[in-house]
Amino acid sequence: MEAPMTHSESQAFRAAWAAACKVEASMMIIPSNYIFLVGPISFSGPYCQPNIVFQLDGTIIAPTSSKVWGKGLLQWLEFTKLRGITIQGKGVIDGRGSVWWQDAPFDDPVDDEIELIVPLNSTVEKNLSAPVRSQLGRIMPSIKPTALRFYGSFNVTVTGITIQSSPQCHLKFDNCMGVLVHDLSVSSPGDSPNTDGIHLQNSKDILIHSSNLACGDDCVSIQTGCSNIYIHNVNCGPGHGISIGSLGKDSTKACVSNITVRDITMQNTMNGVRIKTWQGGSGSVQGVLFSNIQVSEVQIPIVIDQYYCDKRTCKNQTSAVALSGINYERIRGTYTVKPVHFACSDSLPCLDVTLTAIQLKPQQEKYHMYDPFCWQTFGELRTPTIPPIDCLQIGKPSNNGVQSDHDIC
Ligand SMILES: *[C@@H]1O[C@H](CO)[C@@H](O)[C@H](O)[C@H]1NC(C)=O
Ligand SMILES: *[C@@H]1O[C@H](CO)[C@@H](O)[C@H](O)[C@H]1NC(C)=O
Ligand SMILES: *[C@@H]1O[C@H](CO)[C@@H](O)[C@H](O)[C@H]1NC(C)=O
Ligand SMILES: *[C@@H]1O[C@H](CO)[C@@H](O)[C@H](O)[C@H]1NC(C)=O
Ligand SMILES: *[C@@H]1O[C@H](CO)[C@@H](O)[C@H](O)[C@H]1NC(C)=O
């Protein structure tokens, strides 16, 4: 998508990128102590030299003037079709999303004319971080941008930086191979709508570790086409937990395999570790390990929902994304609603679900909480669990073993 270039700062970024693009392993530096107001921009190959480093030490802020966004864009800062791209530094990417999170008319007259590079300590900073509301403002477009997106790239590294207040998802990888994210901070309020922390789609060989993710939706969301994903030492919360899915919407085929999520703490999240699929989908989720997840005041720590639906009711359908080899070990801590919720498909039950060393206690003993729930869930209890999860069906369903074409990925 061609991004509108309404700010001369975007032009400066574009010129700097054009120069960096020509030189292998070059560095584009965003100096500390400055705030840069940058409009939607794409840093793109495929003709760039490999291994460019984007050294982000200053702050990049998004425009809040609705004019800049036109009818809406899917992303604000985009890196596409690159080989070896690193974003590193102590800097901040601030989407100034609060103006997008409310439906009320909003416009920021400051952004249209502002001087474009400002020292971090100037008085303008205050105006930028708390933009004024206009009575006669326009409404922000309904399509909200992801703050930072990588598309179609190899060997991507994101480290050190903070991404905050994105209008929508904070960091997205789509069609990427070889991704390393570490020492990243994502920061948005728990009630900011649809603000996923990290969103992975059609991407392989991804390592995410040593990061703090606080947002209003999934801390990490793993979507279709993802395999060989390893996530460890991540703090999640507020947020909705770490999710695989939703998968199979509108009868689509989804394939996800070889996912490890371990050594995670979750505080005050809606879910802990969750797999969600729509009825009517096809494909499979295979080979998932959730290990050593410490939960604290999490509504439902362990969730499989194969009846995912974003409206009041969804049509019942027999086709489903097949789930197998889903392993939970050392999931411990406190919940506020229900310890375990396994709602698997009637036609394709969940297979090889294993539970090891599960210890989940209600946050407050005196209130009644829901008991563990399982529907069409088969597998193994490798150790006794707290609470007892008697509803898991041991072994395999009698009529299973036949894999139909539609679950083959
Ligand atoms: C503000 O920042 C500028 C540029 O970094 C610096 O020269 C100046 O001394 C700073 N002023 C204050 C009050 O910190
Ligand atoms: C920006 O902040 C300064 C200092 O607080 C103030 O004088 C100025 O009027 C503000 N500008 C706008 C457009 O709000
Ligand atoms: C990615 O990095 C690896 C290891 O450094 C290297 O072998 C591989 O060629 C790189 N891939 C691309 C497409 O540049
Ligand atoms: C699964 O993913 C891990 C990285 O998380 C990788 O090392 C391993 O080789 C993958 N296994 C298979 C069978 O691809
Ligand atoms: C779908 O199936 C469930 C379980 O069999 C049933 O309770 C529900 O009423 C059905 N919903 C619709 C919309 O048919």
Side-chain angles (χ1 to χ4, degrees):
M1 197 178 303
E2 189 59 21
M5 289 291 160
T6 58
H7 296 274
S8 60
E9 196 56 20
S10 303
Q11 305 289 22
F13 270 64
R14 178 178 264 192
W17 177 256
C21 172
K22 294 195 180 108
V23 183
E24 181 165 353
S26 58
M27 192 179 265
M28 180 166 162
I29 299 172
I30 319 300
S32 58
N33 298 322
Y34 284 87
I35 298 175
F36 298 85
L37 175 64
V38 177
I41 189 166
S42 180
F43 302 101
S44 53
Y47 305 113
C48 287
Q49 293 295 316
N51 303 325
I52 298 172
V53 175
F54 195 95
Q55 179 72 36
L56 177 64
D57 291 316
T59 297
I60 297 179
I61 62 171
T64 54
S65 163
S66 61
K67 224 193 308 188
V68 175
W69 298 98
K71 292 200 168 78
L73 294 168
L74 294 174
Q75 57 271 324
W76 167 35
L77 307 171
E78 182 187 43
F79 289 80
T80 72
K81 297 179 188 158
L82 297 164
R83 277 177 302 134
I85 174 75
T86 295
I87 298 189
Q88 63 182 29
K90 303 227 174 306
V92 176
I93 290 174
D94 184 349
R96 297 201 291 168
S98 60
V99 301
W100 299 79
W101 301 333
Q102 59 230 347
D103 294 327
F106 175 86
D107 197 23
D108 183 358
V110 177
D111 276 3
D112 291 342
E113 294 125 56
I114 199 160
E115 61 275 45
L116 295 163
I117 305 178
V118 293
L120 193 56
N121 59 11
S122 78
T123 52
V124 186
E125 184 197 352
K126 294 192 182 66
N127 302 355
L128 290 172
S129 43
V132 282
R133 285 190 137 270
S134 154
Q135 291 285 310
L136 299 168
R138 289 157 293 195
I139 296 176
M140 301 306 277
S142 60
I143 299 171
K144 301 181 174 84
T146 287
L148 174 60
R149 176 188 188 232
F150 291 87
Y151 178 81
S153 296
F154 296 91
N155 292 347
V156 180
T157 300
V158 176
T159 181
I161 65 168
T162 296
I163 308 175
Q164 66 191 35
S165 302
S166 179
Q168 207 231 49
C169 177
H170 289 76
L171 174 60
K172 187 179 281 192
F173 296 95
D174 195 351
N175 272 280
C176 290
M177 274 183 68
V179 171
L180 173 60
V181 175
H182 65 98
D183 298 286
L184 170 77
S185 292
V186 164
S187 175
S188 279
D191 61 358
S192 54
N194 303 116
T195 54
D196 280 344
I198 305 176
H199 188 102
L200 309 173
Q201 191 167 323
N202 291 316
S203 294
K204 294 186 190 353
D205 304 327
I206 298 187
L207 175 57
I208 296 171
H209 69 91
S210 312
S211 293
N212 292 313
L213 309 176
C215 58
D217 206 316
D218 293 331
C219 290
V220 182
S221 159
I222 300 167
Q223 299 289 326
T224 186
C226 286
S227 56
N228 305 351
I229 312 286
Y230 200 104
I231 300 169
H232 69 95
N233 293 92
V234 165
N235 299 319
C236 165
H240 292 184
I242 294 182
S243 292
I244 297 175
S246 59
L247 303 173
K249 191 176 185 181
D250 300 326
S251 302
T252 53
K253 181 170 185 171
C255 295
V256 171
S257 64
N258 191 17
I259 310 294
T260 300
V261 177
R262 68 184 319 149
D263 306 328
I264 307 290
T265 64
M266 303 217 184
Q267 180 99 37
N268 283 104
T269 55
M270 178 188 278
N271 300 107
V273 289
R274 176 167 59 154
I275 302 176
K276 47 184 176 174
T277 71
W278 296 76
Q279 296 186 71
S282 62
S284 65
V285 176
Q286 290 181 319
V288 177
L289 172 62
F290 295 114
S291 176
N292 193 25
I293 315 286
Q294 185 70 45
V295 296
S296 177
E297 293 180 62
V298 168
Q299 290 178 28
I300 315 181
I302 298 177
V303 179
I304 293 177
D305 182 6
Q306 295 213 272
Y307 298 86
Y308 188 71
C309 179
D310 63 355
K311 350 184 236 291
R312 209 185 294 128
T313 58
C314 287
K315 204 169 68 171
N316 278 340
Q317 297 179 69
T318 51
S319 174
V321 178
L323 266 53
S324 65
I326 316 293
N327 304 286
Y328 300 88
E329 58 183 38
R330 291 191 292 146
I331 319 279
R332 296 172 181 171
T334 58
Y335 62 90
T336 60
V337 174
K338 194 192 286 190
V340 174
H341 181 87
F342 288 137
C344 294
S345 160
D346 277 305
S347 44
L348 284 174
C350 298
L351 304 179
D352 298 320
V353 173
T354 72
L355 297 173
T356 311
I358 307 298
Q359 282 182 32
L360 294 167
K361 295 182 177 156
Q363 174 66 18
Q364 282 172 301
E365 298 285 353
K366 60 187 171 182
Y367 292 111
H368 176 76
M369 304 278 183
Y370 291 92
D371 291 329
F373 174 84
C374 316
W375 180 253
Q376 299 289 3
T377 310
F378 290 81
E380 191 186 342
L381 291 171
R382 295 208 168 136
T383 64
T385 60
I386 299 171
I389 304 173
D390 301 329
C391 59
L392 184 82
Q393 300 184 66
I394 305 305
K396 294 193 185 302
S398 50
N399 61 350
N400 203 271
V402 189
Q403 200 180 31
S404 67
D405 281 350
H406 93 199
D407 0 298
I408 293 170
C409 280

